[in-house]
Amino acid sequence: MAEDQPHLCIQMSDSNTNGIPSRRPSSPDLAGRAGSVLTFHNICYRVKIKTGFLCCQKTATKEVLRDVNGIMRPGLNAILGPTGSGKSSLLDILAARKDPHGLSGDILINGAPQPANFKCTSGYVVQDDVVMGTLTVRENLTFSAALRLPKSVKEQEKRERVNQIIKELGLSKVADSKVGTQFTRGVSGGERKRTNIGMELITDPAILFLDEPTTGLDASTANAVLLLLKRMSEQGKTIIFSIHQPRYSIFRLFDNLTLLAAGRVLYHGPAQHAIGYFQSLGYQCEPFNNPADFFLDVINGDSTAVAMNKTDEINTAESTEERTEYDKTLAEHFAEKYSSSTYYRETKAQLENISLGNKKKTKSVFRQITYANSFLHQLKWVSRRTFKNMVRNPQASIAQVSVTAFLGLVVGALFFGLKEDSTGLQNRVGAMFFLTTNQCFSSISAIELFVEEKKIFLHEYISGYYRISAYFISKLMADLIPIRTLPSIIFTCIVYFMLGLKPTVEAFFTMMFTLMMVSYTATSMALAIAAGQSVVAVANLLMTITFVFMIVSSIIQFSRLNPEILEMPKCRNPTSTEFN
């Protein structure tokens, strides 16, 4: 096989036009509409970063991308570069998923400005797979089809589309298997990645973006995923993806290559011409060396094939600052070489011809999100998925009910049969304090609702699956009603009668309603805190601190309003005649 031959770099020039051996014709199932040509003109991106602590913080501007130009045609378009080179930022900018503040330049689709809802009509596969693990492969694809395809598409056509994608992606054997969670084992990593890709193919996008599609996959699985993308690109799709360090069998699939370092373009052109370009600069790829590894080594100044006088300087640099400064200088050196190359001049000439008829800026259209379906339709499907997720992952709900019942029995045993005297009054206050405190701290589990699914929510919301209100209401319906209401009812039924409280229907339901309201309020606070956090531990800490301050302030306020209740009853004198 070609990938087992020793002189990998030499073979690149001997391969066919696409740099891959001939294979069987692709199935036309996913042919869809032809891909589009995406061009980007003079892209610059700067972000503000804060350094220091609190009052000593300073704001500095960091240049992420500078004067980036290029053309992405139908085929496999790879963005390659070392860590921190700006490849993920460039991918997000091309996909209209980056904050436009600090961004300048133009992005055109087939010579016209990006549509306002481009992020919703294009496909975007994030680096970390965002699929609901408790659902099957088919259910995840059906969910995407139900929300991203318009209502004008009949249900039968949606099912056929789902079955077509399952067949084309090779997921037929695991179509009805659960994707898998941290508690339950599901499909393999490659099948999970293909499911993620399939959810984006539901709308048959002309342009598909992928952020590090081989992350977390073994070499064989990563190769299989790229072969799948290659087949799709041969059917006319424009596939743009960032990748860090691919093996040779993956690199040879690339049609177009963009090399980035320190936010500058070092090469943009046909992938099979990249080795010849670097040879013209004095860098010879060694036998047995992977071209992708060779490019990264040259960019980082670590290649043994470097024919420049500065090689010894980089190897003998003593400090990190010297190494960083040299890397920046090296990146600028390659960027200047590229700007004077024929590849750059040809690209600029084509970009100027494309942009002649378009003078409209596209910076302001990045934020618009459009939806294919109504609010009620979104609420129906998101609620259905949320309830399925809760039913198929019952550990949390069962544990919540079990712990509530156990604590109810403990509290009932501790305060069993309260008497109607001053001591009984104090014990009642203590019991009520314990009940409300338990309702508060048991609601901390609501934090995981938003934190664990934040990546899924952000991706689906930006892609136009559903509105924020539909997602939030469905979460309330699935968590607030069963998980917060049922434990309050169980808790009241156990504790109320064991404590010997007022035996009237009105008093019983008043206490039940009060505990429910306490649980609802605490849950709402937990959701509010969780919405702004990405780490469960941090959200737990903030929630605990909030509840502690609430408890302390309530005790202080209660003691001021009812000082007589907190007074200890006077002990009787054992020598008194009454005692005798």
Side-chain angles (χ1 to χ4, degrees):
M1 296 177 62
E3 59 200 68
D4 297 327
Q5 296 293 333
H7 297 282
L8 301 182
C9 293
I10 296 176
Q11 287 185 19
M12 288 296 297
S13 59
D14 297 333
S15 57
N16 60 17
T17 305
N18 292 325
I20 59 172
S22 59
R23 297 188 304 276
R24 62 175 180 82
S26 303
S27 171
D29 288 345
L30 288 181
R33 55 179 178 268
S36 302
V37 178
L38 183 148
T39 58
F40 43 104
H41 311 247
N42 304 316
I43 297 296
C44 295
Y45 183 56
R46 297 177 177 85
V47 295
K48 293 183 178 180
I49 56 176
K50 293 183 178 180
T51 58
F53 297 95
L54 300 177
C55 60
C56 301
Q57 281 189 345
K58 295 181 180 180
T59 302
T61 301
K62 179 182 178 181
E63 189 176 51
V64 180
L65 296 172
R66 175 160 45 124
D67 194 27
V68 177
N69 298 271
I71 304 174
M72 302 296 192
R73 297 184 176 86
L76 279 187
N77 300 270
I79 303 175
L80 184 67
T83 302
S85 60
K87 55 183 183 294
S88 293
S89 296
L90 176 59
L91 187 76
D92 289 343
I93 290 171
L94 298 182
R97 291 171 180 257
K98 208 70 173 176
D99 190 339
H101 294 293
L103 176 63
S104 62
D106 296 313
I107 302 173
L108 307 179
I109 309 296
N110 293 328
Q114 278 180 316
N117 62 340
F118 181 70
K119 66 177 72 175
C120 302
T121 57
S122 60
Y124 189 95
V125 180
V126 297
Q127 182 174 350
D128 299 322
D129 299 327
V130 285
V131 289
M132 191 64 70
T134 53
L135 303 186
T136 65
V137 171
R138 189 186 304 277
E139 288 172 339
N140 275 294
L141 296 178
T142 302
F143 177 80
S144 179
L147 293 179
R148 302 192 73 185
L149 296 179
K151 262 197 163 183
S152 58
V153 180
K154 297 180 180 179
E155 293 297 325
Q156 179 62 27
E157 295 178 8
K158 292 179 181 179
R159 286 194 292 269
E160 290 176 355
R161 179 65 179 162
V162 169
N163 293 331
Q164 168 189 335
I165 291 178
I166 288 175
K167 178 181 177 182
E168 185 65 22
L169 298 184
L171 296 170
S172 300
K173 293 183 179 179
V174 296
D176 297 310
S177 301
K178 294 180 181 178
V179 175
T181 65
Q182 56 182 340
F183 300 109
T184 58
R185 185 174 181 179
V187 300
S188 66
E191 291 164 342
R192 188 183 183 95
K193 177 66 70 176
R194 280 180 276 163
T195 302
N196 207 9
I197 295 174
M199 293 185 69
E200 299 304 311
L201 294 179
I202 285 292
T203 58
D204 191 22
I207 302 179
L208 178 64
F209 298 92
L210 301 99
D211 187 13
E212 303 272 1
T214 59
T215 298
L217 303 179
D218 61 81
S220 179
T221 305
N223 189 62
V225 170
L226 264 295
L227 284 173
L228 168 66
L229 297 177
K230 183 63 180 180
R231 290 199 300 270
M232 292 165 51
S233 70
E234 289 174 343
Q235 296 159 6
K237 287 194 180 297
T238 303
I239 298 178
I240 306 171
F241 60 96
S242 62
I243 194 165
H244 182 61
Q245 202 163 3
R247 58 188 282 190
Y248 169 67
S249 61
I250 291 177
F251 179 84
R252 66 178 185 172
L253 301 176
F254 300 165
D255 296 310
N256 188 74
L257 178 65
T258 302
L259 283 174
L260 291 179
R264 303 290 303 275
V265 178
L266 309 188
Y267 174 81
H268 177 77
Q272 63 270 22
H273 295 171
I275 291 177
Y277 170 75
F278 274 89
Q279 286 178 350
S280 67
L281 299 181
Y283 296 85
Q284 178 68 42
C285 183
E286 299 172 305
F288 302 97
N289 196 3
N290 178 11
D293 295 336
F294 164 72
F295 296 144
L296 293 179
D297 288 343
V298 170
I299 293 172
N300 291 325
D302 297 328
S303 175
T304 57
V306 174
M308 299 176 63
N309 296 329
K310 291 187 177 181
T311 306
D312 295 335
E313 178 183 343
I314 187 65
N315 292 330
T316 57
E318 295 181 357
S319 66
T320 306
E321 294 181 359
E322 292 176 6
R323 175 65 179 264
T324 304
E325 183 65 26
Y326 180 80
D327 287 345
K328 184 176 181 180
T329 304
L330 189 61
E332 291 178 352
H333 168 77
F334 282 117
E336 291 174 359
K337 288 288 186 180
Y338 169 71
S339 62
S340 61
S341 67
T342 56
Y343 292 103
Y344 178 78
R345 289 193 294 270
E346 291 176 359
T347 300
K348 286 293 289 184
Q350 295 178 33
L351 291 176
E352 289 174 1
N353 291 333
I354 292 174
S355 61
L356 280 178
N358 177 66
K359 299 297 182 182
K360 181 182 177 181
K361 299 295 182 182
T362 60
K363 178 181 176 180
S364 60
V365 303
F366 285 175
R367 290 183 176 274
Q368 184 171 342
I369 297 177
T370 57
Y371 305 99
N373 294 279
S374 64
F375 167 78
L376 292 179
H377 182 83
Q378 295 171 2
L379 181 62
K380 167 190 170 183
W381 278 93
V382 178
S383 299
R384 180 183 298 180
R385 184 181 71 169
T386 304
F387 276 105
K388 279 185 179 180
N389 182 48
M390 182 187 67
V391 171
R392 295 178 183 179
N393 188 24
Q395 292 89 344
S397 55
I398 292 176
Q400 182 88 1
V401 173
S402 302
V403 170
T404 299
F406 175 74
L407 288 177
L409 292 173
V410 171
V411 174
L414 290 175
F415 297 94
F416 184 77
L418 296 177
K419 297 180 180 180
E420 297 183 1
D421 53 12
S422 59
T423 303
L425 180 60
Q426 288 182 349
N427 287 335
R428 280 178 171 82
V429 173
M432 294 302 173
F433 175 78
F434 187 88
L435 295 179
T436 54
T437 303
N438 173 72
Q439 291 298 93
C440 286
F441 282 97
S442 63
S443 300
I444 292 181
S445 60
I447 288 176
E448 298 183 3
L449 279 178
F450 286 166
V451 175
E452 290 187 350
E453 294 184 14
K454 179 168 288 188
K455 291 181 179 179
I456 296 179
F457 163 72
L458 289 176
H459 171 70
E460 292 177 344
Y461 166 67
I462 293 174
S463 299
Y465 280 71
Y466 43 72
R467 297 168 175 83
I468 296 178
S469 55
Y471 177 82
F472 186 75
I473 293 175
S474 68
K475 280 297 178 184
L476 292 183
M477 293 171 59
D479 179 80
L480 207 61
I481 296 176
I483 306 298
R484 309 301 159 190
T485 304
L486 184 60
S488 298
I489 295 174
I490 295 174
F491 205 57
T492 306
C493 292
I494 294 175
V495 172
Y496 194 87
F497 298 104
M498 292 185 70
L499 266 61
L501 301 178
K502 191 175 181 179
T504 61
V505 176
E506 182 180 347
F508 173 78
F509 282 104
T510 300
M511 178 176 175
M512 181 183 293
F513 178 77
T514 302
L515 291 181
M516 284 183 186
M517 292 301 100
V518 171
S519 181
Y520 290 172
T521 304
T523 301
S524 300
M525 293 183 62
L527 293 177
I529 291 177
Q533 299 296 324
S534 300
V535 182
V536 175
V538 175
N540 270 324
L541 178 62
L542 294 176
M543 198 67 217
T544 303
I545 293 174
T546 303
F547 284 153
V548 168
F549 275 104
M550 289 172 58
I551 292 170
V552 171
S553 62
S554 64
I555 292 175
I556 294 174
Q557 186 68 16
F558 182 81
S559 63
R560 289 178 178 177
L561 296 176
N562 304 278
E564 68 282 355
I565 295 180
L566 299 180
E567 291 180 359
M568 294 295 293
K570 296 180 180 180
C571 297
R572 294 179 179 181
N573 187 356
T575 59
S576 66
T577 57
E578 183 180 352
F579 180 81
N580 293 329

